[in-house]
Amino acid sequence: MFDELSSIENPHVRSWLEEVATLTKPSNIHICDGSEEEKAALTAQALDAGELEELNKEELPGCVLHRTAQNDVARVEHLTFICTNEEKAAGPNNNWMAPNEAKEKASKIFDGVMEGRTMYVVPYVMGPIGSPYSKVGVEVTDSIYVVLNMRIMTRMGSRALDQLGPDSEDFNRGLHSTADRNPDRRYIMHFPEENTIWSVGSGYGGNVLLSKKCFALRIASWLGRKEGWMAEHMLILGIEDPEGRTTYVAAAFPSACGKTNLAMLIPPESMKGYKIWTVGDDIAWMHIGDDGRLWAINPENGFFGVVPGTNMKTNPNAMITVQKNTIYTNVVLKSDGTVWWESHDDPAPTEGALDWKGNPWTPDMKEEDGSPKKGAQPNSRFTAPASQCPSIAPNWEDPKGVPISAIIFGGRRARVAPLVYEARDWQHGVYIGATMASERTAAQYGKQGEVRRDPMAMLPFCGYNMADYFQYWLDIGKRIPNPPKIFHVNWFRTDEEGKFLWPGFGENLRVLEWIVDRATTPEKTENAQETPIGLVPTTSSINIEGLETTQEQLEDLLKIDPKEWKAEVESQNEFLDKFGEDLPKEIREEQGKLKDAL
Ligand code: GTP
Ligand code: SPV
Ligand code: MN
């Protein structure tokens, strides 16, 4: 029926695509091969259509700018659904819709949605080509912007169909249409039982690059539990010490809380003997290795990073990464064809610039409420190939991954949580992860700054009932003979005036140094002290040499206020109670221990 699809050998892929094409009725079908010629042709077409704008060829070779619709700038958790047969499988942490109802609803929008348009078929691999831990997905979309992003974020094209093989049914089926971008008809639907995703009505990253949050986290967390591995919202990095030993850690921070920055850290002047190797900045898939350790791969091929705040001081590696072959979304366009954003190294352009909406913009402009009018959208993003990152680990595509010695949880907390502390054991670590909290950022719709529980930074991304997820964490810990040590960090503690107490960014290596020391030499005891919440560094064991941070400020950063913590323990109940009887008893057990110790 659809001639273009006859070149696809795998009958399961072909018949699913026929089904999708029958529903969406495209005028053309293009099967992406991932070639340079294809990229050039698609880019030219999107430039023609105004979907992309070319940037300064000398300063930013191969870079383009895209502006989303103004009502379509972040993930929409309230329009994101887990569609399982049983409501309970989705849990109180997810919006649930019955699969039949979901498909009926969305089918009405998908029906004929690609009439007069081209349906792009994007086969892709998550994980290094040939890795036993990699997975294949196929995304159908009517957006060239999506295709070009997927080309950077995944290993896309013919090689994905090769990896899948002629007869395998084991691939994720992702259907996306930008449709009319109407938020009233916007749905991000997941069918974990069918390894399928339907996304309609949005053109923004996390809602439409179905490889990323939809597949590599929501669906993969479901698959991981079924198959015995873990899919987590974690960066992966290697810390090479002055003696040349590299220790790998994985860290889960909520959206826009510093994963990309930490993954690309540059050692401060006083720690020059160290080197940080970036393996991944957002997602980790982890398996138990033959050697009894936990091994992690980065399933992605690029970075979809937060732009504002990025500069040569905070993240030079990111700045260098985005100088070429990068898609910028929702930033300021300067008259010379280069781009700008809040906290850029260069001063704000005073004439000839367009803001993220495409309107003339100057830095003195104000919003209606008198606040400064931002030129770049706070959740503006860059899409850039991981291979361009100066700190990319030489082994980042190793099919077996890297061995993880420490798992780090972290949030954005103005108060309560100290700079760093260590869990007493795995079960305590799971409790720390399960009760993590953070202030809401621009990465999702909702009230900014509001503290919310975000267990393991997975609240928006766990594809099933989080009570079962906590249980799975507890169970898998018992199956890892040599599990990573678990830590919690907080770079965002403030003083009375609301100023950050900790310099952050490159200086975070000082905290990583303590973590590595704790994780690799557990026999040492002089560098940590027991407290009710876990093990906290002694003030002499965090190196603050060369920092403006005073000893007194460090003490403040490491302080545990029993009054605040008692309130913290109580406030956890509002979230934990939602899971009722399903909440593993170990979580309550750890909560009880903390309460008693306080
Ligand atoms: P997602 O891509 O949304 O998952 O976010 P992410 O966790 O990768 O966040 P990212 O590293 O992009 O950081 C987001 C914001 O946090 C940026 O505005 C950074 O400038 C800021 N940030 C990152 N690290 C630090 C830090 O150590 N201290 C402070 N104060 N801010 C930081
Ligand atoms: C996040 O919000 O955690 C991101 C960006 O990494 S998005 O892909 O849009 O989800
Ligand atoms: Mn993320």
Side-chain angles (χ1 to χ4, degrees), residues 75 212-213 217 233 253-256 259 281-282 381 461:
R75 282 182 292 100
K212 195 171 177 57
K213 298 302 157 91
L217 288 177
H233 192 201
F253 309 156
S255 302
K259 288 184 299 301
D281 83 324
D282 198 48
R381 298 262 167 177
F461 309 121

Side-chain angles (χ1 to χ4, degrees), residues 75 213 233 253-262 281-282 304-306 308-310 314-315 379 381 412 443 491-492 500 502-505 508:
R75 282 182 292 100
K213 298 302 157 91
H233 192 201
F253 309 156
S255 302
C257 290
K259 288 184 299 301
T260 303
N261 278 272
L262 190 67
D281 83 324
D282 198 48
F304 185 62
V306 175
T310 308
T314 57
N315 195 346
N379 192 35
R381 298 262 167 177
R412 193 182 272 270
W491 316 137
F492 300 93
F500 291 124
W502 181 248
F505 302 102
N508 291 333

Side-chain angles (χ1 to χ4, degrees), residues 174-328:
L175 168 58
H176 165 252
S177 171
T178 314
D180 57 2
R181 295 189 167 86
N182 180 347
D184 296 331
R185 305 196 303 149
R186 182 176 294 165
Y187 295 102
I188 322 297
M189 295 164 160
H190 304 71
F191 305 89
E193 285 142 340
E194 300 168 42
N195 199 356
T196 294
I197 303 155
W198 282 17
S199 163
V200 70
S202 171
Y204 168 77
N207 300 327
V208 302
L209 309 179
L210 302 184
S211 60
K212 195 171 177 57
K213 298 302 157 91
C214 300
F215 180 33
L217 288 177
R218 297 195 190 96
I219 299 280
S221 60
W222 175 286
L223 295 175
R225 181 170 63 136
K226 205 168 78 180
E227 299 166 3
W229 52 281
M230 305 167 90
E232 299 294 336
H233 192 201
M234 291 179 179
L235 68 90
I236 308 165
L237 66 79
I239 302 144
E240 185 181 332
D241 70 13
E243 280 80 52
R245 277 181 308 239
T246 303
T247 306
Y248 296 92
V249 305
F253 309 156
S255 302
C257 290
K259 288 184 299 301
T260 303
N261 278 272
L262 190 67
M264 298 180 188
L265 182 153
I266 291 193
E269 208 49 52
S270 62
M271 295 179 80
K272 276 286 178 249
Y274 279 89
K275 173 94 185 82
I276 295 295
W277 296 107
T278 309
V279 179
D281 83 324
D282 198 48
I283 299 177
W285 284 0
M286 303 192 287
H287 293 76
I288 305 172
D290 297 334
D291 64 350
R293 289 188 293 175
L294 195 60
W295 289 69
I297 61 164
N298 169 14
E300 301 193 281
N301 190 50
F303 308 124
F304 185 62
V306 175
V307 169
T310 308
N311 59 53
M312 284 309 279
K313 279 191 286 304
T314 57
N315 195 346
N317 280 323
M319 286 302 282
I320 294 165
T321 306
V322 301
Q323 294 311 304
K324 55 182 184 188
N325 308 321
T326 295
I327 302 173
Y328 288 92

